[in-house]
Amino acid sequence: MTRPILPGATLGMLGSGQLGRMFAIAARRLGYRVHVLSPDTNTPTGQVADLEICADYHDLDRVAEFARSVDVVSFEFENVPAETTEICQRYCPVRPAGSVLFTSQNRLREKTFLRDAGLPVTPFVAVRSVEDLTTALQQQGTPAVLKTADWGYDGKGQVVVRSVADAGAAWSTLNVPQAILEKFIDFECELSVVAARGLDGEFVSYGPMGNSHSHHILDISICPAVIPAAVAAEAIAISRAVLEKLDVVGVMCVEFFLTKSGQLLINETAPRPHNSGHLTIDAHVTCQFEQQVRAICGLPLGSSELRSPSAMANLLGDVWEGGEPDWVAALKHSNLKLHLYGKQEARAGRKMGHLTVLADQVQAAEQIVRAARTTLKRGSNIGNDVG
Ligand code: AMP
């Protein structure tokens, strides 16, 4: 039996963004030390970690040194190179395993794995040339969504193709050797399940959360999603199957489209905590980041019970457009929680923080969190009340 990694041990994180930061905060609360490795300094994670190592993921000597200094390694974004996790695995456990990362970080591998496992995914075909694309468009019909196989997130590296005649332009826009063409889904809504799986197979889940996107970036998440109970149960059952088939030890998010005819289709998975799970920090008994710590350390998982309906609004750099946001105005709502990630520069589209609101009804929570975010923006708060 594998022994649990107990408080006092050192946890290693590859990647230094906000997900690593919230992981490190949860880990330190539980009495662990945290070392983070990424190519940057003064990072959201580094600011709260015990040790920030600035090194390229391909600098395998530094990566090995990092892995030797910790008891377990996890990652906070998908684009960590496979060779980096392979090196770490020589010195300590990597959880989830590098093989999970390898499958998830390429849309073609991910979707093929899920489809072959009998799970419902958005219909797709592999595309490696403009000829492939033309044939796929003729067979699949338009509109369709062309996505890069590698390095895609938050809608980056994707283009909607409206007619077969647009194949050439779409292929040159992406300019990659490998892509997938997906059927365009005229969905009813987007949902996600964040789930955790322990070393012994224990499973807990959050949600489904109901998600709205703006410019392909998550904008608002609500929990619980306003959907029939049977759909919620099915989304959780599918998510459980995904984590089990991939043998995930850690946290994983499964994102779905719910079609107008009530069918659930997996859009993508992420083998780490997810933006749509940020509201678990304030709304659930155990948050997704604490579950990540518990799961990778081989500890029992915590209760994922929802304490209160809640809504989360992302704060992108755009909120800073008119100057420093009006924090005082937003915080006048006593059920509002402010989370900022310590990023130095606010750029349009950059995730800088989020707000969470708890309320008796999920619709009320969403209304308040949207209003509070509007109040933050200088020059746009006249007549707005945070409710
Ligand atoms: P992704 O980066 O693949 O998660 O895509 C970002 C967002 O683009 C999704 O959350 C959807 O809002 C939209 N999108 C992606 N793929 C499709 C699709 N096949 N049909 C309709 N909308 C899509």
Side-chain angles (χ1 to χ4, degrees), residues 107 111 122-123 144-145 147 152-156 158 160 182-187 190 213 215-218 255 257 267-268:
R107 290 189 202 271
K111 286 237 153 82
T122 315
V145 188
K147 300 180 176 179
Y153 68 99
D154 283 348
K156 291 191 174 65
Q158 61 174 270
V160 176
E182 282 181 10
K183 212 172 156 56
F184 184 89
I185 309 296
D186 182 20
F187 51 76
E190 292 187 78
H213 293 76
H215 305 290
H216 297 287
I217 301 175
L218 183 68
E255 291 184 76
F257 296 133
N267 172 33
E268 63 177 358

Coordinates of all heavy atoms in Angstrom, one line a residue, residues 107 111 122-123 144-145 147 152-156 158 160 182-187 190 213 215-218 255 257 267-268, ligand 1:
R107 N -6.0 17.7 -28.5 CA -7.5 17.5 -28.7 C -7.8 16.2 -29.4 O -8.8 15.6 -29.2 CB -8.1 18.7 -29.4 CG -8.1 20.0 -28.7 CD -9.0 21.0 -29.5 NE -8.7 22.3 -29.2 CZ -9.4 23.0 -28.2 NH1 -10.3 22.4 -27.5 NH2 -9.1 24.3 -28.0
K111 N -10.0 13.4 -27.6 CA -11.3 13.1 -28.2 C -11.3 11.6 -28.7 O -12.3 10.9 -28.5 CB -11.6 14.0 -29.3 CG -12.0 15.4 -28.8 CD -13.4 15.8 -29.3 CE -14.1 16.8 -28.4 NZ -13.7 18.2 -28.6
T122 N -18.3 15.6 -28.8 CA -18.7 16.3 -30.0 C -18.2 15.6 -31.2 O -17.0 15.3 -31.2 CB -18.1 17.7 -29.9 OG1 -18.2 18.2 -28.6 CG2 -18.7 18.7 -30.9
P123 N -19.0 15.3 -32.2 CA -18.5 14.7 -33.4 C -17.3 15.4 -34.0 O -17.3 16.6 -34.1 CB -19.7 14.7 -34.4 CG -20.9 14.8 -33.5 CD -20.4 15.6 -32.3
A144 N -19.0 24.6 -38.9 CA -18.2 23.6 -38.2 C -17.1 24.4 -37.5 O -16.8 25.6 -37.8 CB -17.6 22.6 -39.1
V145 N -16.4 23.8 -36.5 CA -15.4 24.5 -35.8 C -14.0 23.8 -36.0 O -13.9 22.6 -35.7 CB -15.7 24.6 -34.2 CG1 -14.7 25.5 -33.5 CG2 -17.1 25.1 -34.0
K147 N -10.2 23.4 -34.9 CA -9.4 23.7 -33.7 C -8.1 23.1 -33.9 O -7.9 21.9 -34.3 CB -10.1 23.1 -32.5 CG -11.5 23.6 -32.2 CD -12.0 22.9 -30.9 CE -13.4 23.5 -30.6 NZ -14.0 22.9 -29.4
G152 N -4.3 24.4 -27.4 CA -5.6 25.2 -27.4 C -6.2 25.4 -26.1 O -6.3 24.5 -25.3
Y153 N -6.6 26.6 -25.7 CA -7.4 26.8 -24.5 C -8.0 28.2 -24.7 O -7.6 29.0 -25.5 CB -6.5 26.8 -23.2 CG -5.5 28.0 -23.2 CD1 -5.8 29.1 -22.4 CD2 -4.3 28.0 -23.9 CE1 -5.0 30.2 -22.3 CE2 -3.5 29.1 -23.8 CZ -3.8 30.2 -23.0 OH -2.9 31.2 -23.0
D154 N -9.2 28.4 -23.9 CA -9.9 29.6 -23.9 C -10.2 30.0 -25.4 O -10.1 31.2 -25.7 CB -9.2 30.7 -23.2 CG -9.3 30.6 -21.7 OD1 -10.1 29.7 -21.2 OD2 -8.6 31.3 -21.0
G155 N -10.5 29.1 -26.2 CA -10.9 29.5 -27.6 C -9.7 29.9 -28.5 O -9.9 30.3 -29.6
K156 N -8.5 29.8 -28.0 CA -7.3 30.2 -28.8 C -7.1 29.0 -29.8 O -7.3 27.9 -29.4 CB -6.1 30.4 -27.9 CG -6.2 31.6 -27.1 CD -4.9 32.0 -26.4 CE -5.0 33.3 -25.7 NZ -5.9 33.3 -24.5
Q158 N -8.8 28.5 -32.6 CA -10.0 27.9 -33.3 C -10.7 28.9 -34.1 O -10.7 30.1 -33.9 CB -10.9 27.2 -32.2 CG -11.5 28.1 -31.2 CD -12.5 27.4 -30.3 OE1 -13.7 27.4 -30.7 NE2 -12.0 26.7 -29.3
V160 N -14.4 29.3 -36.7 CA -15.7 28.8 -37.1 C -15.7 28.8 -38.7 O -15.3 29.9 -39.3 CB -16.9 29.6 -36.6 CG1 -18.2 29.0 -37.2 CG2 -16.9 29.5 -35.1
E182 N -14.8 20.0 -35.8 CA -15.9 19.5 -35.0 C -17.2 20.1 -35.6 O -17.2 21.1 -36.2 CB -15.8 20.2 -33.5 CG -14.9 19.5 -32.6 CD -14.9 20.1 -31.3 OE1 -15.7 21.0 -31.0 OE2 -14.0 19.8 -30.5
K183 N -18.2 19.3 -35.4 CA -19.5 19.8 -35.7 C -19.8 21.0 -34.8 O -19.5 21.0 -33.7 CB -20.5 18.7 -35.4 CG -21.7 18.6 -36.3 CD -22.5 17.3 -35.9 CE -23.9 17.4 -36.3 NZ -24.2 17.7 -37.6
F184 N -20.4 22.0 -35.4 CA -20.8 23.2 -34.6 C -22.1 22.8 -33.8 O -23.1 22.4 -34.4 CB -21.1 24.4 -35.5 CG -21.5 25.6 -34.7 CD1 -20.5 26.5 -34.2 CD2 -22.8 25.9 -34.3 CE1 -20.8 27.6 -33.5 CE2 -23.1 27.0 -33.5 CZ -22.1 27.9 -33.1
I185 N -22.0 22.9 -32.5 CA -23.2 22.5 -31.7 C -24.0 23.7 -31.3 O -23.5 24.6 -30.6 CB -22.7 21.7 -30.4 CG1 -21.7 20.6 -30.7 CG2 -23.9 21.2 -29.6 CD1 -22.2 19.5 -31.6
D186 N -25.3 23.6 -31.7 CA -26.2 24.7 -31.3 C -26.7 24.4 -29.9 O -27.8 23.9 -29.8 CB -27.3 24.8 -32.4 CG -28.2 26.0 -32.1 OD1 -27.8 26.9 -31.3 OD2 -29.4 25.9 -32.5
F187 N -25.9 24.6 -28.9 CA -26.2 24.0 -27.6 C -27.2 24.8 -26.8 O -27.4 26.0 -27.1 CB -24.9 23.8 -26.8 CG -24.1 25.0 -26.7 CD1 -24.4 26.1 -25.9 CD2 -22.9 25.1 -27.4 CE1 -23.5 27.2 -25.8 CE2 -22.0 26.2 -27.3 CZ -22.4 27.3 -26.5
E190 N -23.9 25.4 -21.6 CA -22.6 24.7 -21.3 C -22.5 24.4 -19.8 O -22.9 25.2 -19.0 CB -21.4 25.6 -21.7 CG -21.3 25.8 -23.3 CD -20.1 26.5 -23.7 OE1 -19.0 25.9 -23.7 OE2 -20.2 27.7 -24.0
H213 N -19.8 31.9 -21.5 CA -18.5 32.4 -22.0 C -18.7 33.7 -22.7 O -19.8 34.0 -23.2 CB -18.0 31.4 -23.0 CG -17.5 30.1 -22.4 ND1 -18.4 29.1 -22.0 CD2 -16.3 29.6 -22.0 CE1 -17.8 28.1 -21.4 NE2 -16.5 28.4 -21.4
H215 N -16.4 35.9 -25.6 CA -15.3 35.8 -26.5 C -14.5 34.5 -26.2 O -13.3 34.5 -26.1 CB -14.3 37.0 -26.3 CG -15.1 38.3 -26.5 ND1 -15.5 38.7 -27.8 CD2 -15.5 39.3 -25.7 CE1 -16.1 39.9 -27.7 NE2 -16.1 40.2 -26.4
H216 N -15.2 33.4 -26.0 CA -14.6 32.1 -25.8 C -13.9 31.9 -24.5 O -13.4 30.9 -24.2 CB -13.6 31.7 -26.9 CG -14.2 31.6 -28.3 ND1 -15.0 30.6 -28.6 CD2 -14.1 32.4 -29.3 CE1 -15.3 30.7 -29.9 NE2 -14.8 31.9 -30.3
I217 N -14.0 32.9 -23.6 CA -13.4 32.8 -22.3 C -14.5 32.7 -21.3 O -15.5 33.4 -21.4 CB -12.5 34.1 -21.9 CG1 -11.4 34.2 -23.0 CG2 -11.9 34.0 -20.5 CD1 -10.6 35.5 -22.8
L218 N -14.3 31.8 -20.3 CA -15.3 31.7 -19.2 C -15.6 33.0 -18.6 O -14.7 33.8 -18.2 CB -14.9 30.7 -18.2 CG -15.9 30.4 -17.1 CD1 -17.1 29.7 -17.6 CD2 -15.3 29.6 -15.9
E255 N -15.9 19.3 -19.4 CA -16.8 20.4 -19.9 C -17.8 19.7 -20.9 O -17.3 19.0 -21.7 CB -16.0 21.5 -20.5 CG -15.2 22.3 -19.5 CD -14.5 23.5 -20.2 OE1 -15.2 24.4 -20.5 OE2 -13.3 23.3 -20.4
F257 N -21.3 20.2 -23.6 CA -22.4 20.9 -24.2 C -23.7 20.1 -23.9 O -23.7 18.9 -24.0 CB -22.3 21.0 -25.7 CG -21.1 21.7 -26.2 CD1 -20.2 21.2 -27.2 CD2 -20.8 23.0 -25.7 CE1 -19.1 21.9 -27.6 CE2 -19.6 23.7 -26.2 CZ -18.8 23.1 -27.1
N267 N -17.1 18.4 -24.4 CA -16.3 19.3 -25.3 C -14.9 19.2 -25.0 O -14.1 18.9 -25.9 CB -16.8 20.8 -25.0 CG -15.9 21.8 -25.7 OD1 -15.4 21.5 -26.8 ND2 -15.6 23.0 -25.1
E268 N -14.5 19.3 -23.7 CA -13.1 19.0 -23.4 C -12.9 18.7 -21.9 O -13.8 18.8 -21.1 CB -12.2 20.2 -23.8 CG -12.4 21.5 -23.1 CD -11.4 22.6 -23.5 OE1 -10.5 22.3 -24.3 OE2 -11.6 23.7 -23.1
Ligands
AMP1 P1 -12.8 25.3 -26.2 O1 -11.5 26.1 -26.1 O2 -12.8 24.2 -27.2 O3 -13.4 25.0 -24.9 O4 -13.9 26.4 -26.8 C1 -14.2 27.5 -26.2 C2 -15.7 27.9 -26.4 O5 -16.0 27.9 -27.8 C3 -16.6 26.8 -25.8 O6 -16.8 26.9 -24.4 C4 -17.9 27.1 -26.6 O7 -18.6 28.2 -26.1 C5 -17.3 27.4 -28.0 N1 -17.2 26.2 -28.8 C6 -16.1 25.4 -28.9 N2 -16.4 24.3 -29.7 C7 -17.7 24.4 -30.1 C8 -18.5 23.6 -31.0 N3 -18.1 22.5 -31.5 N4 -19.8 24.1 -31.2 C9 -20.2 25.3 -30.7 N5 -19.5 26.0 -29.9 C10 -18.2 25.6 -29.6

